[in-house]
Amino acid sequence: MTVAELLPAARWPEFLPSTPPGVWVPDPLGPGYEYQTLDFGSDAEGPLVATLVRYAPSGWFRKLGRRAKGVVLSVHGWSDYFYNRELAEFWHHRGYHFYALDLRHHGRSLRKEHELPGYISALEDLDLELDASLGILQREHPELPVVAQGHSMGGLILSLWISRTSPNIKGLVLNAPWLEFQGTAFLRVPINGLMEAMSRSNPRRKVLANQFDHYWQSLSDQASGQWDIHPIWRPTLAFPTTAGWLHTILKGHAQVARGLNLSLPILILTSKTSHFSTSYSEQMQHTDSVIDVTQTRLRALKLGSFVTLSELDGAMHDVFTSAEPARATAFRDLNLWLKMLDC
């Protein structure tokens, strides 16, 4: 079956059914993809679940066999989920077993009871699903090293998780990680104080702010992009911003600014330039329209002692969804970095 013959994301279920504990079932991404639900009971939003996806094509273990070099755990960004088949298949052909985590209240982990998609009031709460996912990877591949990969907010989450819990991770790949609030601590500090005050009375309170569909337009094949994305899991406008969520993100940015002292090799991939505007423009197909890449690269040096920076001309916010030739350059640089890691 070709990708063109796969069911479009708009025809996927709005909410995926949960799986029995420990059971892999076919994923809507199509042949070779499976998912299982990680059930942690409930929280204030309703069912508290995360979802682990793996790429397991026919004969996958035999094909990799003794040639397998490692395992990848990938984490998406804010208001997002895992959908990039090309990324999974790159890692597989490179000799890595690929897994992706849809965090609680995101993507495959959304449930109809969730009134605030994406809501989280403390980033350390996500240790629950990160630890559980790592445990599954280590049980399924006990002899192989693990590489973590995160995009945008997922890059922030993984960096802080590794700093906080010291999991057995060999390397960290960060795709346009969200390491600072729109590029400056001068805004972060006062806004964080305001969000902290609001959170004390009502952390679920929505923060009124202008919302734009620029990134969705640059991404979706229903607009100017190239990607078939789920209309609820990667909506036109991002999930609602709440005081509690924004406060915990800004606290994470402050931790990065103080320095994390990570000792593992880290690869940072970003677009060469950012472009912000109140209206969509074609320029957003070739620049980062979400984060300030210059400040991100500066903050990246606060992560640890072994940081490699890749600056990609013509890349979008998610460098692995960019148009060619920027996407090919991103995969080239990741491949070069992995050759160093595999030594």
Side-chain angles (χ1 to χ4, degrees), residues 146-286:
V146 176
V147 175
Q149 170 182 271
H151 168 56
S152 198
M153 184 186 73
L156 175 67
I157 288 167
L158 285 173
S159 299
L160 295 173
W161 172 60
I162 294 170
S163 174
R164 186 169 52 245
T165 68
S166 300
N168 188 14
I169 302 292
K170 182 180 181 181
L172 179 60
V173 178
L174 300 181
N175 167 10
W178 191 21
L179 302 180
E180 183 57 274
F181 180 71
Q182 286 293 55
T184 174
F186 295 107
L187 283 176
R188 167 170 48 83
V189 174
I191 291 175
N192 191 30
L194 177 61
M195 292 303 106
E196 183 178 17
M198 292 173 62
S199 296
R200 282 197 292 267
S201 60
N202 181 10
R204 293 164 56 86
R205 178 179 175 180
K206 293 181 181 179
V207 178
L208 297 180
N210 292 329
Q211 286 192 301
F212 305 104
D213 66 354
H214 304 160
Y215 185 53
W216 178 87
Q217 286 201 49
S218 66
L219 191 66
S220 173
D221 62 4
Q222 300 303 303
S224 300
Q226 302 177 2
W227 298 88
D228 175 29
I229 51 179
H230 196 284
I232 294 177
W233 303 355
R234 171 69 263 186
T236 304
L237 299 177
F239 294 156
T241 299
T242 59
W245 172 81
L246 186 53
H247 175 49
T248 195
I249 293 294
L250 295 175
K251 283 172 57 181
H253 291 165
Q255 288 176 261
V256 172
R258 291 192 294 270
L260 298 186
N261 298 314
L262 302 181
S263 59
L264 77 174
I266 303 170
L267 173 64
I268 308 289
L269 302 119
T270 70
S271 178
K272 184 176 181 179
T273 57
S274 294
H275 176 73
F276 304 123
S277 174
T278 56
S279 59
Y280 171 80
S281 71
E282 197 277 336
Q283 190 174 352
M284 292 176 177
Q285 299 300 130
H286 312 289

Side-chain angles (χ1 to χ4, degrees), residues 67-106:
R67 296 188 297 108
K69 297 175 181 177
V71 191
V72 176
L73 176 61
S74 184
V75 179
H76 58 81
W78 167 244
S79 192
D80 209 349
Y81 71 104
F82 171 68
Y83 57 85
N84 193 330
R85 298 181 184 91
E86 184 179 3
L87 182 59
E89 290 157 21
F90 164 84
W91 281 102
H92 177 76
H93 291 304
R94 193 65 179 72
Y96 285 77
H97 299 288
F98 181 88
Y99 295 74
L101 176 64
D102 277 12
L103 297 163
R104 66 182 69 183
H105 310 149
H106 282 82

